[in-house]
Amino acid sequence: MASERYHRQLILEGFGATAQSKLTAAKVLVIGAGGLGCPALQYLTAAGIGLIGIADDDTVALSNLHRQILYTTNDIGKPKAKVAAQRLHTMNPEIQFVVHTLRIESINILEILKDYDVVLDGSDNFESRYLINDACALLKKPLIFAAVADYEGQLAIFNVTDEKGETTNYRDLFPIAPKPGEIANCADNGVIGVLPGIIGTMAASETIKLITGLGKPLVNKLLHYNLLNNEQHELAIIAGNDYQLPQNEADLMTFNYNQTGLTEPMVIEIDATALNNLQQKTSTLLIDVRELHEVPALDKAIYHQIPMSSFADFLSTDVEEQNLVLICQHGIRSVAAAEALAEKYGNTKNIYSLKGGIVKWRNYFSN
């Protein structure tokens, strides 16, 4: 039965029963069952990875479906990791699935990672990427890194020694995490559905190559892919010395992976009720920091649109209002903008950010 299922790869020159047995014995953890994770999970399952872990604490949303093709409209509101495991099991019942319906954090990551041979990072935020990288480096776990932004994708393999005896990690590319709002994610900038499909499938391919020893995996190399013109190129990753990795579990537990780099927020995050109360006050300025093309468009008579791309110009001016409320799509860029205002005005003004942004309170803005 198994030989028939995998027949087309078993008969490949250079693959055969030896490579298939390596896949069967492998334990792979996929973190993030979203746009990148879905295609990676499908092809890893189809290829015959013996045990696959799926880690995701999110639920299926309608806006996911154009790229997260494991899910259907009937799955909206259900846990992604559970739905993915159920659907993948029907695809290949020979595979063992382990579901982690939780957020990967410093308090649990080492315990989760220890049982896997390879980790595939399909997360969508920098906080998770740095945490996953540091934990994999500490445990010496091979890490497949995949990411998409706009019309471009990136792929690399970390924590594997190359033919020169060198090993690199994500911090050799980006030693320090960017601040909120500096680099927008696909939730803010958008993404065409096929792009994470392409990069996620390539991530599965690199995972299979790494496990079986086929070809030349992207060890210490960054592959950059442009969807618009189909250009791709590789960059060599060189080990750096301008950062420090956690040396033990205690280091990892005490390291601050908050994207703001702060233990306490500089601004107050509010909900829609508090926003409504502030809106009734005459001395309140409501600021939408999204770019001009983003939807839904808000009433410009109520919300002043000052995009992050031109926010520096706004900072050079002074405002009279006592209460300043920053709003964006997901409540990330608004925090960054609010912090910039707090740095300028200190305690002389009340500065707020709408927590969760327009997406979380869409009903409020649709009234």
Side-chain angles (χ1 to χ4, degrees), residues 68-209:
Q68 300 178 21
I69 55 176
L70 263 177
Y71 314 119
T72 70
T73 305
N74 292 333
D75 297 321
I76 292 174
K78 299 178 182 177
K80 289 183 181 179
K82 287 185 178 180
V83 174
Q86 293 167 357
R87 201 139 291 150
L88 293 167
H89 177 74
T90 65
M91 179 189 299
N92 190 348
E94 298 173 4
I95 306 304
Q96 180 181 352
F97 295 98
V98 180
V99 176
H100 306 278
T101 53
L102 44 71
R103 182 174 179 82
I104 296 293
E105 298 178 308
S106 57
I107 60 173
N108 59 29
I109 189 168
L110 296 181
E111 182 65 22
I112 293 172
L113 261 57
K114 68 180 179 63
D115 294 326
Y116 296 94
D117 306 314
V118 178
V119 177
L120 194 160
D121 178 12
S123 61
D124 62 356
N125 64 85
F126 289 102
E127 177 183 350
S128 295
R129 287 175 189 164
Y130 281 93
L131 172 61
I132 294 165
N133 173 79
D134 292 359
C136 286
L138 181 60
L139 296 176
K140 295 180 170 56
K141 298 279 185 181
L143 173 62
I144 314 296
F145 161 73
V148 294
D150 295 328
Y151 293 99
E152 300 176 345
Q154 294 181 337
L155 194 64
I157 298 179
F158 299 123
N159 302 323
V160 177
T161 304
D162 62 17
E163 63 276 5
K164 298 179 182 179
E166 297 177 349
T167 304
T168 61
N169 69 89
Y170 185 64
R171 289 187 184 273
D172 290 310
L173 276 176
F174 309 106
I176 301 175
K179 294 181 179 179
E182 286 186 339
I183 300 178
N185 57 28
C186 70
D188 294 322
N189 268 9
V191 62
I192 191 166
V194 294
L195 178 61
I198 293 168
I199 302 301
T201 301
M202 293 172 75
S205 174
E206 290 302 305
T207 304
I208 291 169
K209 287 162 59 180

Side-chain angles (χ1 to χ4, degrees), residues 6 40-49 52 88 91-92 95 97:
Y6 307 118
L41 285 164
Q42 287 172 288
Y43 278 99
L44 292 176
T45 298
I49 299 293
I52 299 176
L88 293 167
M91 179 189 299
N92 190 348
I95 306 304
F97 295 98

Side-chain angles (χ1 to χ4, degrees), residues 98-334:
V98 180
V99 176
H100 306 278
T101 53
L102 44 71
R103 182 174 179 82
I104 296 293
E105 298 178 308
S106 57
I107 60 173
N108 59 29
I109 189 168
L110 296 181
E111 182 65 22
I112 293 172
L113 261 57
K114 68 180 179 63
D115 294 326
Y116 296 94
D117 306 314
V118 178
V119 177
L120 194 160
D121 178 12
S123 61
D124 62 356
N125 64 85
F126 289 102
E127 177 183 350
S128 295
R129 287 175 189 164
Y130 281 93
L131 172 61
I132 294 165
N133 173 79
D134 292 359
C136 286
L138 181 60
L139 296 176
K140 295 180 170 56
K141 298 279 185 181
L143 173 62
I144 314 296
F145 161 73
V148 294
D150 295 328
Y151 293 99
E152 300 176 345
Q154 294 181 337
L155 194 64
I157 298 179
F158 299 123
N159 302 323
V160 177
T161 304
D162 62 17
E163 63 276 5
K164 298 179 182 179
E166 297 177 349
T167 304
T168 61
N169 69 89
Y170 185 64
R171 289 187 184 273
D172 290 310
L173 276 176
F174 309 106
I176 301 175
K179 294 181 179 179
E182 286 186 339
I183 300 178
N185 57 28
C186 70
D188 294 322
N189 268 9
V191 62
I192 191 166
V194 294
L195 178 61
I198 293 168
I199 302 301
T201 301
M202 293 172 75
S205 174
E206 290 302 305
T207 304
I208 291 169
K209 287 162 59 180
L210 187 64
I211 293 170
T212 60
L214 289 172
K216 295 183 178 181
L218 290 168
V219 175
N220 298 339
K221 295 178 182 178
L222 179 72
L223 175 70
H224 185 93
Y225 172 80
N226 187 311
L227 176 79
L228 295 181
N229 55 24
N230 277 321
E231 286 186 355
Q232 54 182 332
H233 56 269
E234 291 182 13
L235 300 174
I237 304 172
I238 307 300
N241 56 8
D242 51 349
Y243 62 85
Q244 186 171 356
L245 290 167
Q247 299 300 302
N248 50 51
E249 183 176 358
D251 280 354
L252 188 78
M253 294 283 287
T254 56
F255 193 88
N256 181 19
Y257 288 98
N258 187 303
Q259 288 187 37
T260 64
L262 302 168
T263 55
E264 294 293 335
M266 292 176 62
V267 299
I268 300 173
E269 292 189 283
I270 59 174
D271 59 15
T273 300
L275 171 63
N276 182 63
N277 292 336
L278 285 165
Q279 189 173 335
Q280 309 308 315
K281 298 181 179 180
T282 56
S283 186
T284 294
L285 179 64
L286 305 176
I287 304 172
D288 177 4
V289 299
R290 298 174 303 155
E291 300 303 314
L292 298 177
H293 67 274
E294 295 185 58
V295 294
L298 302 184
D299 187 345
K300 289 182 172 54
I302 301 174
Y303 303 91
H304 291 71
Q305 191 163 24
I306 306 172
M308 286 296 287
S309 58
S310 59
F311 202 76
D313 295 335
F314 174 70
L315 284 174
S316 65
T317 65
D318 290 318
V319 297
E320 297 179 357
E321 289 83 359
Q322 182 62 32
N323 304 307
L324 307 179
V325 183
L326 288 299
I327 301 165
C328 71
Q329 203 79 339
H330 292 269
I332 299 174
R333 287 171 289 173
S334 59

